[in-house]
Amino acid sequence: MLRTIRAFWHDQRGIALILVSVMLPAIIGFSLLAIDMSRMNNLHNDLQKGTDALALAAAAELDGRSDSITRADRALATLVSNNYNFSTADGPVTLAAAGVTRRYLRSLPATDDVAIATANVVPDEVADANLAQFVEVRVTPVGFSTIFPASFLSSSASNSYNIGAVAVAGFSRSACDFTPVYICNPYENTTDTLYTVAADPAKRRRLIELRQQGGSSAQNSPGNYGFLQPPDSSSGADAIRDMIAEVKSQACYNSRGVLLRPGFLATARDALNVRFDVYNGPMNSNRNDPNFAPGENVRKGYKTQGNACNADAVSPAEPTNFEAFPRDNGTIDTNGRIGNGNWDFDQYWNTNFNTTTAPVTVPKPMGADGVNPASNTNQPTRYSVYRYEISQGIVGHPSNGGEIGTPSCSANKVSNPDRRLLYGAILNCQALAAAGLMSGGNSSPPLPVEAFGSFLITETVESGSDQTIRVELVDINGRGGQGTLDNFLRDEAQLYR
């Protein structure tokens, strides 16, 4: 008997079954926890991905314009649809049905561990929509029931949890390789807008006079221009001058805010005229420097006086022999800054290409209707004619007076970027001045940019107290634009929290 008891005591057969039976509740419990954690993680991922997508879609509309919040709300409502599973609801549920809320922010706390405060929120979503730089999207917590019976372990434990998601996204737009120049919106407070003009060739061909006012109160008038503070703080007159004259300025400007460089820049005229193969004053030593090369088409109505570098405007004018792009024959505004878009195409073409000694064999460019040849009754934009001359290889054709469009003073020329185009930030100067943000050409804090634009410089910049630049609008970024500025722009919507 004792031997039998001792054998039974030392017998280990079947012990695994006993151990498994003892550990089975724990094994099942851990399995249920793993399943619950996987379900919770999947639900949270569904919510967070959808919330992130909503925040990014809304942030992409926050471009600093007055209707940005309206467009952002539209994006939240219509552009994104995500379903999530694993909730207590029957079947997949859309994020919109979960109760998505949002608030627009003008700033973020310095660090992510600091909660967003009232001071960070846009005060008035209608009046202050242009201040919205970020959007916080919050998905209302969704019910989730566990399989693991937590309530069995404790009477205070619950088998139900709520899972939500929050995302903060913002948008930034920068223009790079832009000259440090700003232009007061010529169409601010007029019946036309910058965007309708940009979309209409008949309005784009209006000649615009840009005048530098030396920092006086008149500086804020539509059609005036001034200078931007370069990002590297090189605000000296020589540094600004060289950035205007160089082929690439290597500067980027954010549409959310640019700083103005106050004061009159006496050498701006010399810097801009480099683009026309004219090297006067401090630019004379740079005429053979490829970094200061002229454009490939520099026809400007000049007559050579001795040698190519001594060419000068004809005085008195001889439009049948030497002719730059003619000015408009009238204006549409009271201060005479915006032309009516009617210019003498026939005179320009007959002087430069339909010459008495050697008329060109290529046909005239298309007029505004896009079907028939250009004429004074079917006027094209000056920019389209300028580009047509390049594409047809007739830049070097002499005018009746002998002027050619290819550079003759400099040994260089540049086709990309287009040197006859002035790239600048367009500001609503009147509104900014009314808000007390512009005074004598100064700005503090940084000023929002209405749009970035490109303008054809139609003739060399004249001397004088205002150094008038005569331009024709070519393109702007955003709505109404033709996309020619896309290579200069860096648009980025990103998540911040």
Side-chain angles (χ1 to χ4, degrees):
M1 174 63 74
L2 184 59
R3 184 181 301 154
T4 302
I5 295 174
R6 184 180 294 109
F8 178 77
W9 179 259
H10 292 287
D11 191 354
Q12 296 184 9
R13 289 175 296 177
I15 192 170
L17 179 61
I18 298 173
L19 293 176
V20 169
S21 299
V22 172
M23 294 298 299
L24 187 59
I27 294 173
I28 294 175
F30 279 117
S31 299
L32 294 179
L33 280 175
I35 294 172
D36 283 340
M37 290 298 294
S38 177
R39 292 174 59 234
M40 292 174 66
N41 185 64
N42 287 337
L43 176 57
H44 182 264
N45 283 342
D46 278 352
L47 289 172
Q48 192 62 58
K49 288 178 181 178
T51 307
D52 291 347
L54 286 167
L56 289 170
E61 304 296 333
L62 301 181
D63 54 8
R65 296 178 181 155
S66 58
D67 63 344
S68 59
I69 287 182
T70 300
R71 288 183 279 111
D73 281 343
R74 187 183 305 126
L76 284 172
T78 63
L79 296 184
V80 181
S81 178
N82 287 72
N83 292 336
Y84 60 83
N85 299 295
F86 308 109
S87 72
T88 55
D90 293 331
V93 181
T94 63
L95 282 174
V100 177
T101 60
R102 91 291 183 272
R103 58 177 176 172
Y104 293 96
L105 314 174
R106 57 182 176 180
S107 62
L108 290 176
T111 59
D112 289 348
D113 58 349
V114 177
I116 294 171
T118 303
N120 301 119
V121 180
V122 172
D124 187 320
E125 292 187 358
V126 176
D128 302 317
N130 61 310
L131 299 180
Q133 299 190 46
F134 310 93
V135 60
E136 178 194 59
V137 176
R138 185 179 297 273
V139 174
T140 303
V142 176
F144 174 85
S145 294
T146 64
I147 300 174
F148 183 81
S151 58
F152 288 171
L153 303 179
S154 172
S155 59
S156 61
S158 174
N159 292 338
S160 298
Y161 298 90
N162 289 325
I163 299 176
V166 180
V168 176
F171 175 78
S172 64
R173 167 173 288 161
S174 299
C176 293
D177 297 333
F178 260 51
T179 45
V181 172
Y182 76 89
I183 296 164
C184 291
N185 184 357
Y187 295 98
E188 185 180 9
N189 297 327
T190 68
T191 54
D192 285 312
T193 69
L194 186 63
Y195 306 99
T196 57
V197 171
D200 186 347
K203 294 180 178 180
R204 283 204 310 272
R205 70 171 183 249
R206 294 170 179 168
L207 194 69
I208 303 172
E209 288 191 354
L210 308 178
R211 302 176 186 171
Q212 187 184 173
Q213 296 294 330
S216 66
S217 59
Q219 182 70 37
N220 304 328
S221 299
N224 285 332
Y225 75 96
F227 307 100
L228 298 177
Q229 174 70 49
D232 62 0
S233 301
S234 302
S235 60
D238 291 351
I240 298 289
R241 178 202 66 205
D242 289 348
M243 291 182 72
I244 295 173
E246 287 175 337
V247 172
K248 287 192 176 183
S249 67
Q250 306 296 329
C252 293
Y253 300 95
N254 195 297
S255 63
R256 292 239 171 242
V258 292
L259 289 172
L260 307 190
R261 190 269 187 193
F264 185 82
L265 193 61
T267 54
R269 171 178 179 262
D270 297 328
L272 287 166
N273 284 346
V274 161
R275 300 160 183 255
F276 284 89
D277 195 37
V278 176
Y279 295 84
N280 289 329
M283 307 311 302
N284 184 55
S285 61
N286 300 114
R287 68 173 181 265
N288 289 321
D289 186 338
N291 292 323
F292 294 87
E296 58 185 327
N297 184 352
V298 299
R299 193 179 299 274
K300 49 191 174 292
Y302 273 29
K303 182 178 181 180
T304 299
Q305 310 288 339
N307 62 61
C309 293
N310 290 332
D312 202 355
V314 183
S315 181
E318 299 177 24
T320 59
N321 289 318
F322 306 92
E323 181 75 328
F325 281 118
R327 302 174 187 177
D328 291 355
N329 60 22
T331 61
I332 63 171
D333 62 327
T334 56
N335 63 15
R337 300 293 182 87
I338 305 175
N340 59 9
N342 296 320
W343 62 287
D344 197 341
F345 167 80
D346 290 339
Q347 178 71 73
Y348 176 81
W349 190 263
N350 290 336
T351 297
N352 294 305
F353 302 106
N354 193 26
T355 62
T356 56
T357 56
V360 297
T361 57
V362 299
K364 293 180 179 180
M366 290 295 100
D369 63 5
V371 177
N372 299 301
S375 67
N376 279 2
T377 58
N378 188 23
Q379 296 165 327
T381 64
R382 296 170 181 83
Y383 182 67
S384 65
V385 177
Y386 158 78
R387 294 305 310 180
Y388 183 78
E389 295 171 21
I390 296 172
S391 66
Q392 295 298 318
I394 58 176
V395 173
H397 186 273
S399 70
N400 285 330
E403 182 193 22
I404 61 174
T406 51
S408 300
C409 179
S410 174
N412 305 292
K413 63 180 180 179
V414 171
S415 59
N416 184 26
D418 194 330
R419 293 286 276 158
R420 286 282 294 274
L421 292 185
L422 176 66
Y423 301 96
I426 304 173
L427 307 183
N428 288 325
C429 296
Q430 290 180 311
L432 294 171
L437 298 177
M438 296 182 73
S439 175
N442 292 284
S443 67
S444 182
L447 305 180
V449 175
E450 177 65 18
F452 291 103
S454 59
F455 301 82
L456 173 70
I457 309 175
T458 62
E459 58 185 270
T460 53
V461 182
E462 62 188 34
S463 60
S465 60
D466 58 12
Q467 298 198 9
T468 300
I469 310 174
R470 290 180 173 85
V471 299
E472 180 185 86
L473 177 64
V474 175
D475 200 5
I476 60 171
N477 69 291
R479 63 182 188 277
Q482 304 163 70
T484 61
L485 296 177
D486 289 351
N487 289 337
F488 294 89
L489 300 177
R490 298 178 182 176
D491 290 354
E492 184 177 0
Q494 68 179 66
L495 292 170
Y496 288 86
R497 291 191 174 193

